Amino acid sequence: MATVIQPVVMCGGSGTRLWPLSRKALPKQFAPLIDGKSLLELTLDRLKLLNAEVTCIGSDDHRFMLDEAMVNCKVTGREILEPVGRGTAAAVAMAALLAEPDAMLLLAPADHYIADPKLFASTVAQGVDAALAGYIVTFGVAPSFPSTGYGYIEPGRVLDESKGASAGRTVAEFHEKPTADDAQRMLLRGDMLWNAGILLARADTLIEALENCAPDILASCRQAMQSGSTDGNFFRPERKAFESCRIDSIDYAVLEKYERIAVVPFAGAWSDVGSWSAVAAMHPADEDGNRLSGKAVALSSKNTFVHAPLRPVVALGTEDLVIIDTQDALLVASIHCLEQVKDVVGLLTAAGRTEATEHRRVARPWGAYDSIDAGERFQVKRLTVKPGAKLSLQMHHHRAEHWVVVKGTAMVTRDEETILLRENESVYIPLGVVHRLENPGKTMLEVIEVQSGGYLGEDDIVRFDDTYGRVTQLKKVSGK
């Protein structure tokens, strides 16, 4: 009987190297990058070739984006919601503790790109025997250039001579990100592998390894899981116990210390999508080395990457540039300065610019809102509400709202009234009135919202009822 593999996707992290597309409120794993799909969605599509029952581990702040990605990819399973980030060691510990002891877990980051999903699935299958024998199996990528941005794995002896190295070898040593000279030497050796950070192991093997190498992390996670709570598909570890867990990666906490680690080589294209140059490499180049995405155009240009999903962006006479266009921010950078993108985010954050951390379009469990325009004492938003979804029953102390339906049908609660609005109809919500907007139809509802008042911040909301468990009566909370 074939071993059932249970995929676990680690969805934490909020890197800044892909700003302005990736931001704290929309980390790179949730941002649409390839053919309108996010890296998380591509990961889920890849993993469901092994099993459509998937466990995802991510931030509580991103729970609804995580849930939406799972629905879009037609996968089911549990979602472990971290109250704070504690690194991959804690994520692996929680996944192992939640699973049955003999469960075969495949732990994969949500933000990697693998061009050949079928080759990946067959490579994972090659590691099952080693994992059943009590090894933690990692997957090493055959390097295509002397990268200084990846860690390396030095393979040891072959585990099964009858099957050869493809079935796995021991790990002789993990090497940190090398210098350029060391990376060149590793490439010339011919057997060194990039560390892809993907693991295959039985749950009880992982727990044993954590007990031996990081018992404090395991203890904190065990307490957090035992005292946690379940809300539908969401599992929330107990906050105080989880906060007591030290921050560490599974590599440092376990893999570099544990004796029974094996590596299986993966021969396909792989990237951790850690920079805009990595994103550019995922797009085909024209004869001048230009790589274009969306509505981008290049003329008399060389080695230029343009990401333009929303409007035409023309690169004219450019060379060695990266141009990233979003609704509210534009990045134009030399390909030689892309490592400094994170410094730009730091400067914008210090200046108090919301564009450093938030997009103009903000996802909500019921849909999204897009801040179209704003000025003194007014703000205009475009609300999109999913079929059957509804906003919280709420009230504002400092603003009034005017809703105009431009697409679909809206059901509006206004104090004791219930009003049905169709396209081109509108309603006024005075300051202090308890109200709610919902979509009773089967198509997307689009509403233009005009806010007016002395304070228009998203924290001016008192919620009295909410489908998504966000009620905080008589307290100000963030978001619609």
Side-chain angles (χ1 to χ4, degrees):
M1 182 178 179
T3 301
V4 176
I5 295 173
Q6 297 183 9
V8 177
V9 185
M10 296 179 285
C11 308
S14 55
T16 57
R17 295 179 187 273
L18 295 188
W19 185 88
L21 185 64
S22 171
R23 308 183 194 182
K24 182 179 179 181
L26 185 74
K28 70 173 181 178
Q29 59 268 31
F30 298 104
L33 269 179
I34 307 296
D35 297 328
K37 285 197 169 189
S38 68
L39 293 171
L40 172 58
E41 289 173 328
L42 293 172
T43 299
L44 292 172
D45 283 342
R46 180 167 65 247
L47 294 178
K48 73 182 181 183
L49 296 177
L50 296 164
N51 191 341
E53 185 82 13
V54 179
T55 298
C56 290
I57 306 174
S59 168
D60 192 39
D61 293 338
H62 304 140
R63 62 193 182 279
F64 298 115
M65 289 188 288
L66 181 57
D67 197 50
E68 183 176 17
M70 295 181 71
V71 171
N72 289 344
C73 295
K74 297 180 173 57
V75 300
T76 58
R78 294 173 291 193
E79 299 165 45
I80 303 175
L81 303 178
E82 299 174 312
V84 292
R86 285 295 179 263
T88 55
V92 170
M94 289 191 296
L97 289 166
L98 193 62
E100 294 296 324
D102 62 349
M104 183 65 68
L105 303 182
L106 176 69
L107 298 122
D111 55 356
H112 290 184
Y113 176 71
I114 295 175
D116 191 338
K118 291 183 179 179
L119 177 61
F120 172 76
S122 64
T123 302
V124 169
Q126 292 172 12
V128 168
D129 287 345
L132 289 172
Y135 283 87
I136 298 176
V137 180
T138 186
F139 296 90
V141 178
S144 54
F145 65 96
S147 172
T148 59
Y150 299 143
Y152 285 73
I153 298 172
E154 182 180 340
R157 64 176 177 82
V158 174
L159 290 175
D160 188 339
E161 294 290 349
S162 66
K163 295 183 179 179
S166 63
R169 298 171 67 171
T170 61
V171 172
E173 188 175 356
F174 287 96
H175 295 266
E176 297 294 321
K177 296 175 182 179
T179 64
D181 289 343
D182 287 340
Q184 186 67 42
R185 282 193 290 269
M186 289 182 184
L187 182 66
L188 292 175
R189 270 191 48 158
D191 64 342
M192 300 291 283
L193 301 167
W194 286 338
N195 184 359
I198 302 170
L199 305 176
L200 180 71
R202 282 172 49 117
D204 52 6
T205 299
L206 293 168
I207 290 174
E208 177 185 328
L210 285 158
E211 188 71 71
N212 289 341
C213 303
D216 59 320
I217 292 178
L218 181 63
S220 296
C221 290
R222 180 175 276 128
Q223 183 180 353
M225 297 297 281
Q226 289 174 346
S227 304
S229 60
T230 299
D231 174 16
N233 291 331
F234 297 139
F235 182 87
R236 291 182 171 84
E238 197 276 321
R239 186 181 188 95
K240 187 175 181 180
F242 193 69
E243 285 180 337
S244 71
C245 182
R246 66 179 167 92
I247 301 174
D248 208 347
S249 70
I250 191 65
D251 296 70
Y252 291 145
V254 174
L255 300 186
E256 294 184 1
K257 302 174 184 177
Y258 197 57
E259 291 184 357
R260 294 180 66 79
I261 307 293
V263 59
V264 171
F266 175 65
W270 165 89
S271 172
D272 70 349
V273 198
S275 68
W276 278 116
S277 58
V279 176
M282 294 187 292
H283 295 78
D286 65 17
E287 59 186 10
D288 293 315
N290 300 307
R291 301 172 187 268
L292 307 176
S293 174
K295 299 179 181 180
V297 178
L299 183 64
S300 301
S301 296
K302 294 181 179 180
N303 301 324
T304 294
F305 172 58
V306 185
H307 178 80
L310 303 172
R311 56 190 168 184
V313 175
V314 181
L316 178 60
T318 61
E319 187 169 351
D320 294 342
L321 284 186
V322 167
I323 303 171
I324 310 300
D325 187 42
T326 67
Q327 287 177 318
D328 58 352
L330 173 68
L331 173 69
V332 180
S334 165
I335 61 173
H336 308 295
C337 298
L338 293 176
E339 289 300 315
Q340 296 175 247
V341 170
K342 61 181 184 298
D343 299 328
V344 173
V345 177
L347 288 173
L348 292 173
T349 302
R353 298 301 301 261
T354 58
E355 293 90 347
T357 57
E358 298 177 2
H359 280 275
R360 201 183 84 173
R361 182 182 184 277
V362 178
R364 285 290 182 257
W366 43 262
Y369 70 81
D370 183 3
S371 298
I372 299 171
D373 194 12
E376 187 176 357
R377 297 185 62 85
F378 83 91
Q379 185 168 226
V380 182
K381 294 183 176 181
R382 175 175 174 264
L383 311 182
T384 51
V385 185
K386 301 173 187 176
K390 53 186 169 183
L391 283 64
S392 58
L393 184 66
Q394 59 186 251
M395 180 266 286
H396 309 299
H397 288 294
H398 303 285
R399 72 174 184 250
E401 294 176 338
H402 190 176
W403 289 338
V404 182
V405 176
V406 295
K407 183 178 179 181
T409 303
M411 183 75 73
V412 177
T413 299
R414 187 174 64 177
D415 278 344
E416 302 302 320
E417 295 181 90
T418 300
I419 306 166
L420 185 67
L421 297 179
R422 295 176 177 84
E423 293 179 7
N424 302 318
E425 296 180 339
S426 64
V427 66
Y428 175 64
I429 311 294
L431 182 152
V433 169
V434 176
H435 60 281
R436 166 176 262 161
L437 174 67
E438 74 180 274
N439 181 0
K442 296 183 179 180
T443 60
M444 189 71 77
L445 167 65
E446 296 184 14
V447 172
I448 299 300
E449 175 183 272
V450 181
Q451 303 176 0
S452 60
Y455 178 72
L456 304 173
E458 276 299 306
D459 57 351
D460 178 24
I461 295 180
V462 178
R463 287 200 183 96
F464 302 99
D465 179 68
D466 184 56
T467 303
Y468 312 102
R470 303 172 297 163
V471 174
T472 310
Q473 190 170 354
L474 300 182
K475 290 185 180 180
K476 290 183 180 180
V477 296
S478 176
K480 282 190 170 293

